[in-house]
Amino acid sequence: MGKKIILTGDRPTGKLHLGHFVGSLGRRVELQNSGLYDKIFIMIADAQALTDNADNPDKVRDNIIEVALDYLSCGIDPTRSTIFIQSYVAELTELAFYYMNLVTVQRLQRNPTVKAEIQLRGFAENGAEEENLQRKGTPVGFFTYPISQAADITAFKATTVPVGADQEPMIEQTREIVHKFNSVYGETLVEPEIMLPTNSACLRLPGTDGKAKMSKSLGNCIYLSDSPEEVKKKVMSMYTDPDHLKITDPGKVEGNCVFTYLDAFSRPEHFAKYLPEYENLDALKDHYRRGGLGDVKCKKLLIAVLEEMLEPIRERRKYYEQHIEEVYDILRKGSDEARATAQETLEEVRRAMRINYFEDRELIEHQAAEYRKE
């Protein structure tokens, strides 16, 4: 049986938030500590972040350390996981270049994640026709994001990619590229499997406004590094049921951000500790639906649950904030290791594609013999 390898990561466009944590970051820590995987690579995707931040490189540069701090403070252990910076591993760019010949423009245009991200970042007008997406000013690098991601995943022969549900189309496209490459050049690349959050509430955590997924660009995030005061303020302003005007009114839990977050983060023991009059979350939901339960009480429970999770994260972050040189040393060592691994894969790819001219002694000797005959 082959090695079990994980590749995952984040674009350094700002501090990480609860959406990142439930989408994949918390799971990464669990997987790291499980001992079930031979290797875990965690990438800070700065090169990909530059595709839509080309005019603001300092933003990406500064946020590399923010993401690294969030990783370490959440429990990513550099002795058990390899944290690296994407742009330092030049082999990823070469792999992506080769993979571009295996994907059509039309296939990229059909990728739902690419289309959604183009709309979100304002590259295309709302409702733009699919065939017009590129004419609205989309950077080529951003448009080819699925190909770049395929290079990232395959360079490390990842067997598992833990991501949020919105990344499913990207992983599917990676699988297509792997299948195409192996069909043309022979079995070389490893086809990855996606790992989605097991908690259905974590598949697409909404923002505090209830209108979209949690997103830095929409300003509806609770950050992992937020202070207790900031967390309290954001939770108390969180979207609930607009028709639940009085405590006595029956309330809806579906689409209610407070209950969605409780689904994602609360556990039965939290009720015994913070709200003992309720056996579990289902009992709390039943009371809210019947009426007689106010939003403030539910929000206070959520604040307590989040604080229990975030406080140790803040404490670890304080340590690393005072040891930035140590953080950069971790990133340097991880990037060196990642580059060595990617180089091995690239050499295999070049051999499969028969572009390894100088190391193919059989080719050189055969051609030399042929020319001697002449």
Side-chain angles (χ1 to χ4, degrees):
M1 181 179 292
K3 289 185 176 182
K4 298 173 68 175
I5 300 171
I6 285 176
L7 183 283
T8 185
D10 299 281
R11 289 158 46 96
T13 54
K15 295 180 179 180
L16 302 184
H17 51 63
L18 291 181
H20 293 111
F21 189 86
V22 300
S24 61
L25 183 51
R27 192 71 182 279
R28 293 173 201 169
V29 177
E30 294 175 4
L31 295 170
Q32 167 194 269
N33 297 339
S34 72
L36 298 176
Y37 291 85
D38 297 283
K39 199 67 183 176
I40 298 177
F41 291 95
I42 303 178
M43 180 179 72
I44 301 178
D46 62 323
Q48 180 50 230
L50 285 168
T51 61
D52 57 329
N53 289 278
D55 58 345
N56 193 4
D58 285 341
K59 173 186 175 183
V60 176
R61 181 185 180 89
D62 293 342
N63 281 324
I64 284 175
I65 195 66
E66 292 291 349
V67 172
L69 287 169
D70 282 329
Y71 284 168
L72 295 167
S73 63
C74 284
I76 297 297
D77 182 350
T79 67
R80 304 169 75 180
S81 298
T82 301
I83 307 173
F84 69 97
I85 298 175
Q86 183 185 31
S87 64
Y88 192 84
V89 185
E91 290 76 9
L92 302 178
T93 307
E94 186 171 346
L95 286 172
F97 183 81
Y98 299 144
Y99 296 169
M100 285 181 186
N101 297 317
L102 307 177
V103 183
T104 66
V105 170
Q106 291 74 21
R107 176 62 182 90
L108 288 174
Q109 287 177 323
R110 292 197 304 271
N111 187 302
T113 304
V114 172
K115 292 166 68 174
E117 292 294 332
I118 286 173
Q119 295 283 352
L120 179 63
R121 285 165 172 76
F123 294 144
E125 297 173 358
N126 290 334
E129 294 293 332
E130 183 174 298
E131 61 269 21
N132 290 333
L133 285 178
Q134 283 187 287
R135 291 202 289 269
K136 299 296 181 179
T138 308
V140 171
F142 190 88
F143 186 67
T144 58
Y145 179 16
I147 301 173
S148 172
Q149 189 176 70
D152 300 334
I153 294 168
T154 58
F156 303 99
K157 298 187 176 179
T159 57
T160 306
V161 185
V163 292
D166 60 328
Q167 291 294 306
E168 281 190 90
M170 308 294 270
I171 305 305
E172 180 57 33
Q173 190 138 33
T174 294
R175 291 166 62 85
E176 291 176 13
I177 290 172
V178 169
H179 180 74
K180 179 70 172 179
F181 187 97
N182 289 345
S183 297
V184 174
Y185 300 112
E187 291 294 322
T188 306
L189 303 177
V190 174
E191 194 168 302
E193 297 291 338
I194 190 171
M195 178 183 286
L196 294 171
T198 53
N199 184 338
S200 60
C202 300
L203 291 176
R204 194 177 293 270
L205 192 71
T208 54
D209 55 6
K211 296 180 181 178
K213 71 174 184 177
M214 190 170 285
S215 168
K216 293 182 285 288
S217 61
L218 297 175
N220 59 2
C221 302
I222 295 177
Y223 294 99
L224 299 173
S225 54
D226 276 347
S227 68
E229 295 74 23
E230 289 169 326
V231 172
K232 180 179 179 181
K233 181 180 179 180
K234 291 177 179 180
V235 172
M236 294 306 292
S237 64
M238 192 174 280
Y239 177 85
T240 56
D241 176 6
D243 297 322
H244 187 245
L245 302 177
K246 296 182 292 186
I247 291 179
T248 53
D249 291 336
K252 296 177 182 177
V253 300
E254 294 76 16
N256 185 321
C257 282
V258 174
F259 283 98
T260 302
Y261 279 54
L262 286 171
D263 277 328
F265 296 104
S266 70
R267 302 186 301 274
E269 54 265 34
H270 286 137
F271 289 86
K273 187 174 182 179
Y274 301 117
L275 216 56
E277 60 265 42
Y278 298 95
E279 182 180 359
N280 51 35
L281 182 55
D282 287 336
L284 187 73
K285 288 180 177 180
D286 288 342
H287 192 180
Y288 192 81
R289 290 189 179 103
R290 293 195 308 269
L293 176 61
D295 289 324
V296 171
K297 190 169 187 176
C298 299
K299 288 179 177 181
K300 286 183 176 179
L301 170 63
L302 178 57
I303 291 169
V305 169
L306 292 179
E307 279 302 305
E308 185 173 306
M309 181 187 78
L310 291 173
E311 183 55 32
I313 293 175
R314 291 193 198 101
E315 287 303 309
R316 284 191 291 267
R317 186 183 178 95
K318 286 179 183 176
Y319 167 83
Y320 284 110
E321 285 177 341
Q322 299 303 311
H323 297 82
I324 294 298
E325 293 85 355
E326 181 180 340
V327 177
Y328 272 104
D329 189 50
I330 289 169
L331 294 176
R332 183 183 298 107
K333 290 178 179 177
S335 297
D336 287 340
E337 181 182 345
R339 185 163 196 184
T341 301
Q343 179 61 39
E344 291 178 4
T345 301
L346 178 60
E347 289 173 359
E348 293 177 13
V349 164
R350 291 175 64 85
R351 281 194 292 272
M353 295 178 68
R354 301 183 65 77
I355 56 174
N356 60 327
Y357 309 110
F358 304 124
E359 71 172 43
D360 191 341
R361 294 302 308 171
E362 183 178 346
L363 168 68
I364 297 170
E365 291 169 3
H366 172 75
Q367 291 181 341
E370 288 297 314
Y371 278 102
R372 286 192 196 104
K373 291 178 184 178
E374 297 178 4

